[in-house]
Amino acid sequence: MATSEMSKNKVETGGPVSGNPTMMDKLSNYIIVDIGANLTNKKFSRDLDQVIQRATDAGVSKIMVTGTSLHSTKEALRLTRLYPGTLYSTAGIHPHDAKSWDEETCNELKEAARCTECVAIGECGLDFNRNFSPPDVQIEVFEKQVALACELGKPLFLHERDAHQEMVSILERFVDKLPSCVIHCFTGNREQAIKYLQLGCYIGLTGYLWKDKSENGVRKILEEGVIPLDKLLVETDAPFMYPNTRASKLPQHIKDCLTERSVTFLQRYCTFQRNEPCSLPVTVEMIAAYLNKTPEEVALATTSNALKVFGLSG
């Protein structure tokens, strides 16, 4: 359905949206895969059943639960067995935790990664923005996880902040045997996106879109069609990356493309303190508006990509 045809179903996002989604709304869901949600976070410990049910109601049919440490990797794997066919997991050590790496970590991570419910290695990578672990340690631990992904043939779920060139250099060294790579929560510039795409990487986008006003950032990249649909993936990074659709910095023409149904899930159940997977349709609609495509087209493409890259069951 074209943007002009959708206008009667849109609402201004400056005020609250009331009412529960109707059965007809549920029948007209997008079908979306959230490739990154931190459901092992303690903010979800009391009502995870409801969080997953809301995601399903919103059209988020599958969720990848991110492992960022040995503990969260094991916990993510445990959750996949409680919600089979809906939750999948990743196994990885985040660059912030690279300093915790030892031989035991390596062995236990490999054991978790071999499980069929685990569909990727990560979240791993480089973060030179905060350097919670020394850069040389981050590089060493990242290289070991890239090697593990190559050994197991599982995709890489990558984190990069202020370390673009270093990450590219490492990926290029493994390029002959590198599995599919996903740049998680991409917030870089046009040149960085192009370089990742030249390496064959997929680009994961979140609700960060609402606050990007840079001249060479994610919004501009979408408007210029830099990221082809067959290389695009979507994620919430819940409980982080809340998409603030009320923000004045979000252009009005983008707000006008948000459906009442999606905004209802966002405003009723999500906050800055705790984003949920049920907010993902709003991000899909924002991406579609910047691409000048229908949200159905974006949902279909990103879901197809996720099923292909991570080998998820349809």
Side-chain angles (χ1 to χ4, degrees):
M1 150 167 68
T3 300
S4 59
E5 295 170 358
M6 292 191 290
S7 59
K8 63 180 83 172
N9 289 327
K10 312 301 183 214
V11 291
E12 297 294 330
T13 57
V17 180
S18 60
N20 290 316
T22 65
M23 181 56 68
M24 185 55 67
D25 287 329
K26 292 182 180 181
L27 292 174
S28 60
N29 273 354
Y30 312 126
I31 299 175
I32 320 172
V33 175
D34 186 348
I35 66 155
N38 300 283
L39 296 185
T40 63
N41 189 287
K42 62 184 179 181
K43 292 183 178 181
F44 297 116
S45 61
R46 294 186 177 183
D47 64 342
L48 186 59
D49 279 342
Q50 292 94 320
V51 168
I52 292 172
Q53 185 59 57
R54 283 194 285 271
T56 302
D57 291 344
V60 182
S61 61
K62 298 180 186 298
I63 303 168
M64 287 173 49
V65 184
T66 310
T68 58
S69 65
L70 194 54
H71 173 74
S72 65
T73 290
K74 291 178 179 179
E75 183 64 11
L77 189 58
R78 184 184 73 84
L79 292 179
T80 67
R81 291 162 181 173
L82 295 177
Y83 303 92
T86 299
L87 299 189
Y88 299 82
S89 70
T90 72
I93 306 298
H94 192 284
H96 291 344
D97 289 328
K99 59 183 178 289
S100 70
W101 183 277
D102 57 23
E103 195 62 33
E104 183 181 355
T105 300
C106 180
N107 292 335
E108 292 197 52
L109 192 70
K110 183 181 291 190
E111 183 181 351
R114 289 186 188 279
C115 296
T116 56
E117 300 92 340
C118 175
V119 296
I121 305 301
E123 181 180 349
C124 60
L126 303 172
D127 193 317
F128 294 171
N129 179 268
R130 299 184 183 181
N131 282 329
F132 288 150
S133 290
D136 60 327
V137 174
Q138 291 186 45
I139 289 171
E140 179 185 0
V141 171
F142 177 45
E143 288 176 338
K144 289 180 177 178
Q145 291 179 89
V146 174
L148 177 60
C150 293
E151 176 188 341
L152 299 181
K154 292 201 172 184
L156 278 159
F157 190 66
L158 301 174
H159 173 106
E160 182 264 306
R161 291 292 178 276
D162 296 346
H164 172 74
Q165 191 52 56
E166 291 83 357
M167 176 166 282
V168 166
S169 296
I170 291 170
L171 295 179
E172 285 180 335
R173 291 212 305 274
F174 287 86
V175 70
D176 289 339
K177 50 187 174 179
L178 202 62
S180 296
C181 297
V182 177
I183 307 301
H184 154 67
C185 190
F186 179 78
T187 58
N189 60 38
R190 187 179 192 277
E191 290 70 29
Q192 291 168 349
I194 290 172
K195 184 60 182 178
Y196 283 135
L197 290 167
Q198 287 173 344
L199 283 170
C201 298
Y202 290 78
I203 305 294
L205 296 182
T206 67
Y208 169 82
L209 273 173
W210 75 267
K211 63 180 177 180
D212 173 51
K213 289 186 70 176
S214 61
E215 287 298 312
N216 196 23
V218 177
R219 289 186 187 180
K220 198 72 174 171
I221 289 168
L222 289 174
E223 288 174 339
E224 294 178 355
V226 170
I227 307 173
L229 270 183
D230 64 0
K231 287 294 183 181
L232 184 63
L233 294 161
V234 291
E235 52 184 322
T236 57
D237 202 26
F240 315 112
M241 292 293 173
Y242 172 79
N244 182 16
T245 58
R246 290 184 169 123
S248 59
K249 65 178 71 174
L250 187 66
Q252 189 60 47
H253 74 277
I254 302 297
K255 294 181 182 182
D256 289 342
C257 289
L258 303 179
T259 61
E260 180 176 3
R261 184 175 187 286
S262 296
V263 174
T264 297
F265 275 106
L266 173 69
Q267 295 184 0
R268 182 176 291 273
Y269 301 116
C270 306
T271 66
F272 275 104
Q273 288 71 39
R274 195 182 84 157
N275 189 24
E276 290 190 18
C278 71
S279 73
L280 193 56
V282 159
T283 297
V284 167
E285 289 170 0
M286 286 195 292
I287 290 171
Y290 281 114
L291 289 174
N292 196 28
K293 296 184 182 295
T294 66
E296 290 83 1
E297 191 176 357
V298 173
L300 181 62
T302 57
T303 295
S304 176
N305 295 340
L307 296 178
K308 178 176 70 173
V309 171
F310 299 110
L312 309 181
S313 56

